Amino acid sequence: MSEVKKSAAGGGGGGGWTRFVTARPRLTLLVALVLTALAVLAGGGVADRMGSGGWEDPAAESTYATEALERQFPGSQPNVLLLVDAGAAGVDAPAVAAEARRLAERLDAEPGVDGVGSYWSTGSPALRSEDGRQAVIAARIAGEEKDAAAVLDRIAPTYRGAHGPVEVSLGGGLAVRHEMQTVIQEDLLRAELIALPLTLVLLVMVFGSAVAALLPLGVGIVAILGTNAVLRGITEFTDVSVFAQNLTTALGLGLAIDYALFVVRRYREELAAGADTYTAVRTTLRTAGRTVLFSALTVAVSLAAMLVFPQYFLRSFAYAGIAVVLLAATAALTLLPAALVLLGDRVNALDLRRLLRRGRAPRKDTSGAGWGRAAALVMRRAPVFAIVTTAGLVLLGLPFLGVEFGTADDRQLPVTASSRVVQDQLRDGFPGNPGGGITVLAEGTATPAQYADFRERISALDGVGRAEGPVTAGGGSAYFTVVPEGETVGAGAQRVVGELRAAEAPFATSVTGPAAVLVDSKDAIADRLPWAAGIIVLVTLLLVFLLTGSVVVPVQAVLLNALSLTAMFGAVVWVFQEGHLAGLLGFTSTGDIETTLPVLMFCVAFGLSMDYGVFLLSRIKEEYDATGDHEHSVRFGLRHTGGLITAAAVILAVVMVAIGTSRVTNTKMLGLGVALAVLMDAMVVRSLLVPSVMKLTGRLTWWAPGPLRRFHDRFGISENDAYNPAGTPDVIEVSEELREAASSRQ
């Protein structure tokens, strides 16, 4: 009879879940392989079905006005611009004008293209460069974002390039978003090619064994492929942002590796303590497995909070994040135990570190001892470490007090991107950025005199460069174009939006344009942010309470997690808003931060911080339940998880930095910012702040009022009953820990 079967027959009840995942390990892995293959097929081409927008509030005034204008005045909302360069001949040369009119007529005849207008048909000075060498043909491709992109792909080769005396380049909002989507897909592939081999090298360094190192990587790949299939299904019902794929890769690798690291490390500990394969798997699932489950729930809740926001950009990250977290946890708690049952002791095979130790005398294993000594040092000087660390983190976060919010535009792209080149020329060489002004939709019957009076009044508003219109249509509708002074979406333009909305008129008005979209997006986020924060905090408090039975530890966890994010937010403003390191990192600073990015980064980084917090707290609580010694338990927890958390954080940071090599600024900001937050949390907060604060709170750390204590006794999660890997009392290891602690105090 095999070792596994003997253990199952007489090994003392592994529990229903253990029996389920280990009874037929080969069948479990075969089913997983088939499901993964199906996920590859189902998730194929998911990026092509994703959108590159999603920053608008669907219920906002600007969204209503945009949709109404698209129906009634297609030419008022151009999303494709043909930049016609006539060179030294000038745009008014007869041959140039004739060719430009021919191009405009041809474009107007294209299926799916509406509202074609040009400098040569309107004479508008806004469509002619100040030096007279360039002018614009503007048009709108209507329809859903994916359909519009397909039309653009079809017509772009026809118009881009040389046409007689002129050279034509393509720009506009649709061209920018489409090129951004292409760049993101290319960058994501490159990030995966960077992250996967580096991650494997780091895992080998952590485990030594090549076999053990491959297990977390396999779990991550399963989670990523499964999430792509889920996202492909979601695109059938709602819009999903292409940016969400970056989070899928980052969390798919990062969290799967975290969970697998925790499970494999605990399994190897149990084997080293003398347990057989089945007992080691059973104990691992009932200890590390429960911690992984709690960790996954905390991360999923943080990401799910983005569902309260109306912008599909943020909601997309919730879809991707929840799916990848749950799939990573499921794979770690199902496929990984099955693989461990089949491998047994062979999980330690192919120890590559032996090659480095040849010719050297074997060293005594002191794994974790340094973390134990560091925790003891921190607790001996707890007030100093707590004050200095907190002050340092607060100082690092101070730049965020000067944050300015903006909206994403073409400057997210590298300077060599074709649509970015066109937009730069429009921004720098034209008196008013075509397509970038504020549009006021007027609905209701009005006389020409009333229209003229309204135009005069809005022209006189502070911050308005000029007002044009009205452009009228049947049914009592018209629109005015307002060009603000300064930046298209700057603070001045946003003030103009407010003044236009407050302006009295004899007809109903609604305002749209980039500045109006930004104002509405900021209002939507400010309105929903308390709900999102409340969900994260309340559910986190509840989950940590169920894990620890304390009302103090959950509050500490939430506050310290929030504090760990200060460096990330300070760095985001200092680097990306103020432009420090812009040359080194290869991006263009616009002087503001895209409105939704801080929300996204908070939810992701907070969830990952709680991930590490749960790992540490579960081990501390486990030891405290066994010994009742608070300081020893803190030191024990850090000794047994400090190296693991640091290794997991470094690996996740490598993945996030690979994502941060993207040429799109928002993706770069997300990757590098979250990498910094993860490292600060693991190396500063978990190593210095947590032990010092827990020392200061002492045994009060574990306090809870009587009713809540009884609630936890009935419904809480306790791992203490399962921490006996080989049938030997934990007191042996505990007594060794206590003797070491006593000797260190002498």
Side-chain angles (χ1 to χ4, degrees):
M1 189 183 295
S2 70
E3 177 185 82
V4 174
K5 289 183 178 178
K6 285 188 290 186
S7 299
W17 180 252
T18 304
R19 288 193 296 272
F20 173 76
V21 299
T22 60
R24 294 181 176 82
R26 289 183 177 84
L27 179 60
T28 299
L29 294 177
L30 179 60
V31 171
L33 181 61
V34 172
L35 292 176
T36 302
L38 293 175
V40 172
L41 295 176
V46 62
D48 295 332
R49 299 182 59 83
M50 292 180 165
S52 53
W55 292 281
E56 304 88 358
D57 176 6
E61 176 183 318
S62 57
T63 304
Y64 165 79
T66 298
E67 293 173 350
L69 286 164
E70 183 174 342
R71 291 191 303 269
Q72 302 174 43
F73 304 95
S76 68
Q77 300 286 296
N79 56 7
V80 175
L81 303 177
L82 272 60
L83 181 65
V84 180
D85 192 332
V91 296
D92 294 316
V96 170
E99 181 62 26
R101 291 190 182 96
R102 188 189 68 80
L103 286 171
E105 291 171 0
R106 186 177 177 185
L107 182 62
D108 193 37
E110 295 281 359
V113 179
D114 298 314
V116 176
S118 71
Y119 163 71
W120 295 275
S121 63
T122 65
S124 172
L127 300 179
R128 179 182 182 274
S129 65
E130 293 176 341
D131 63 7
R133 299 168 68 96
Q134 295 174 318
V136 168
I137 300 172
R140 181 168 187 84
I141 300 178
E144 295 292 331
E145 189 173 336
K146 303 177 188 66
D147 298 331
V151 174
L152 180 64
D153 279 336
R154 174 172 56 81
I155 68 173
T158 302
Y159 295 91
R160 185 183 288 121
H163 292 269
V166 300
E167 184 80 19
V168 178
S169 304
L170 265 67
L174 179 61
V176 168
R177 291 194 299 271
H178 190 45
E179 188 165 11
M180 191 177 296
Q181 186 171 10
T182 301
V183 171
I184 287 172
Q185 292 180 43
E186 295 171 353
D187 290 348
L188 182 59
L189 177 60
R190 187 183 69 251
E192 290 171 345
L193 294 175
I194 294 171
L196 285 172
L198 286 178
T199 297
L200 181 58
V201 170
L202 291 172
L203 286 170
V204 170
M205 293 173 62
V206 171
F207 283 122
S209 162
V211 173
L214 287 171
L215 293 176
L217 204 59
V219 172
I221 292 172
V222 169
I224 292 171
L225 295 176
T227 301
N228 284 338
V230 171
L231 292 178
R232 174 62 176 80
I234 293 175
T235 59
E236 295 290 338
F237 305 99
T238 188
D239 292 318
V240 179
S241 172
V242 69
F243 286 92
Q245 275 204 304
N246 294 290
L247 188 68
T248 297
T249 296
L251 292 186
L253 283 177
L255 287 178
I257 287 170
D258 284 358
Y259 299 155
L261 272 174
F262 203 62
V263 169
V264 173
R265 174 68 68 87
R266 188 59 179 261
Y267 172 74
R268 295 175 81 186
E269 286 181 9
E270 302 302 323
L271 288 182
D276 60 68
T277 298
Y278 182 82
T279 304
V281 171
R282 180 196 67 192
T283 305
T284 297
L285 283 176
R286 295 177 64 185
T287 54
R290 290 181 180 181
T291 302
V292 166
L293 181 59
F294 258 72
S295 173
L297 289 175
T298 57
V299 178
V301 166
S302 293
L303 297 172
M306 287 186 283
L307 290 173
V308 306
F309 295 100
Q311 295 93 333
Y312 87 73
F313 174 79
L314 288 175
R315 297 172 70 88
S316 299
F317 285 94
Y319 305 146
I322 294 170
V324 77
V325 168
L326 296 182
L327 285 171
T330 300
L333 299 178
T334 304
L335 307 183
L336 199 53
L340 293 175
V341 168
L342 293 176
L343 288 170
D345 290 337
R346 292 191 299 268
V347 73
N348 298 316
L350 300 178
D351 188 349
L352 301 181
R353 291 182 297 192
R354 291 178 181 175
L355 300 175
L356 301 177
R357 294 198 296 265
R358 284 185 177 178
R360 303 180 189 174
R363 296 184 303 170
K364 182 180 178 181
D365 181 19
T366 58
S367 175
W371 288 101
R373 289 192 295 270
L377 172 63
V378 170
M379 288 192 288
R380 281 198 299 271
R381 301 288 186 269
V384 174
F385 278 100
I387 293 172
V388 171
T389 305
T390 301
L393 290 172
V394 170
L395 285 174
L396 289 174
L398 287 179
F400 192 71
L401 296 177
V403 66
E404 295 288 341
F405 294 110
T407 188
D409 61 19
D410 58 280
R411 287 170 290 183
Q412 292 280 315
L413 289 167
V415 293
T416 55
S418 58
S419 59
R420 162 76 186 273
V421 171
V422 171
Q423 297 301 122
D424 280 340
Q425 290 176 312
L426 294 173
R427 188 166 30 247
D428 299 335
F430 284 69
N433 190 352
I438 301 170
T439 305
V440 182
L441 173 65
E443 295 178 291
T445 304
T447 65
Q450 289 174 319
Y451 281 141
D453 178 66
F454 181 72
R455 185 186 62 226
E456 293 301 320
R457 281 192 284 116
I458 61 176
S459 297
L461 293 175
D462 186 35
V464 172
R466 69 176 185 274
E468 299 175 351
V471 176
T472 59
S477 295
Y479 74 88
F480 299 82
T481 301
V482 178
V483 179
E485 297 174 347
E487 284 285 334
T488 302
V489 294
Q494 294 176 56
R495 284 194 298 272
V496 169
V497 169
E499 293 177 355
L500 289 171
R501 287 175 171 171
E504 294 184 3
F507 35 72
T509 62
S510 50
V511 181
T512 188
V517 170
L518 174 59
V519 169
D520 291 338
S521 180
K522 289 166 64 174
D523 289 344
I525 288 176
D527 181 57
R528 306 293 181 88
L529 190 59
W531 289 97
I535 291 170
I536 292 174
V537 170
L538 290 177
V539 178
T540 300
L541 290 174
L542 175 61
L543 289 173
V544 177
F545 168 75
L546 290 175
L547 182 67
T548 63
S550 164
V551 297
V552 178
V553 172
V555 174
Q556 285 182 352
V558 169
L559 293 178
L560 297 185
N561 270 18
L563 193 59
S564 72
L565 307 184
T566 54
M568 175 184 73
F569 285 124
V572 161
V573 170
W574 190 79
V575 174
F576 290 95
Q577 178 177 304
E578 298 178 4
H580 300 99
L581 308 181
L584 177 64
L585 297 178
F587 69 92
T588 301
S589 173
T590 59
D592 52 45
I593 302 298
E594 203 283 316
T595 312
T596 59
L597 256 293
V599 176
L600 169 63
M601 296 175 74
F602 173 82
C603 292
V604 172
F606 188 91
L608 293 174
S609 297
M610 279 306 306
D611 186 42
Y612 300 135
V614 168
F615 287 169
L616 176 59
L617 290 174
S618 65
R619 207 64 190 262
I620 293 174
K621 179 63 165 59
E622 180 182 317
E623 187 67 9
Y624 182 74
D625 287 344
T627 66
D629 187 322
H630 174 68
E631 291 187 30
H632 157 73
S633 299
V634 174
R635 189 164 65 91
F636 179 93
L638 198 60
R639 174 175 179 173
H640 284 265
T641 64
L644 179 66
I645 290 173
T646 301
V650 169
I651 292 171
L652 180 57
V654 166
V655 176
M656 296 305 303
V657 169
I659 298 294
T661 63
S662 172
R663 293 165 290 169
V664 175
T665 305
N666 275 357
T667 306
K668 189 186 299 289
M669 190 187 311
L670 173 66
L672 298 182
V674 173
L676 176 61
V678 165
L679 292 176
M680 291 295 293
D681 181 77
M683 297 182 177
V684 177
V685 174
R686 302 297 153 206
S687 303
L688 302 177
L689 204 51
V690 169
S692 60
V693 170
M694 293 189 85
K695 165 67 175 179
L696 293 175
T697 54
R699 292 179 64 88
L700 180 64
T701 303
W702 308 105
W703 176 82
L708 289 180
R709 196 161 52 244
R710 289 188 291 272
F711 178 86
H712 179 266
D713 291 341
R714 183 172 181 181
F715 299 105
I717 297 296
S718 175
E719 296 178 350
N720 190 49
D721 62 338
Y723 184 64
N724 190 3
T728 54
D730 290 340
V731 71
I732 296 176
E733 184 177 8
V734 171
S735 62
E736 292 174 353
E737 289 281 336
L738 291 174
R739 281 199 299 272
E740 182 181 339
S743 63
S744 67
R745 288 194 292 266
Q746 292 175 352

